[in-house]
Amino acid sequence: RLINKVPPNRFSATALECYLKHAGFAMHRAYRGQFAKVLDVINDEFLPTLEAKDDADSRPVVSRTRTYLHERVFLKPPEGKEMPITDTSSSTRI
């Protein structure tokens, strides 16, 4: 809905980037084909529209989102997803 309802600007692009970083892996696992179509819409419509506005503040967000899509980062679990078996407190002595 974000892509369809909110006009592409630096704020919606930042929200989208954050959402993809945190939920992209889970979305891909749950909705493979449908998620791929959403990513295509982002890449083919949302980002070009944002680039056409030539807003200097949105360029870094567009670049990071394109990198996320082209490197297929959504295929890798996000950092911190897996809990470690042990932590440093179990080996720290006071």
Side-chain angles (χ1 to χ4, degrees), residues 10 13-14 16 18-19 23 25 37 40 43 55 73-74 88 91:
R10 64 182 165 174
T14 302
L16 178 63
C18 184
Y19 178 79
F25 177 73
K37 290 176 187 175
D40 287 341
N43 192 46
D55 179 14
V73 177
F74 55 87
T88 57
S91 62

Side-chain angles (χ1 to χ4, degrees), residues 25-54:
F25 177 73
M27 295 289 290
H28 174 69
R29 284 183 50 193
Y31 306 105
R32 291 188 190 275
Q34 294 160 332
F35 185 63
K37 290 176 187 175
V38 170
L39 295 179
D40 287 341
V41 169
I42 292 168
N43 192 46
D44 298 340
E45 295 178 23
F46 187 84
L47 295 178
T49 303
L50 190 58
E51 285 176 322
K53 292 183 178 184
D54 201 32

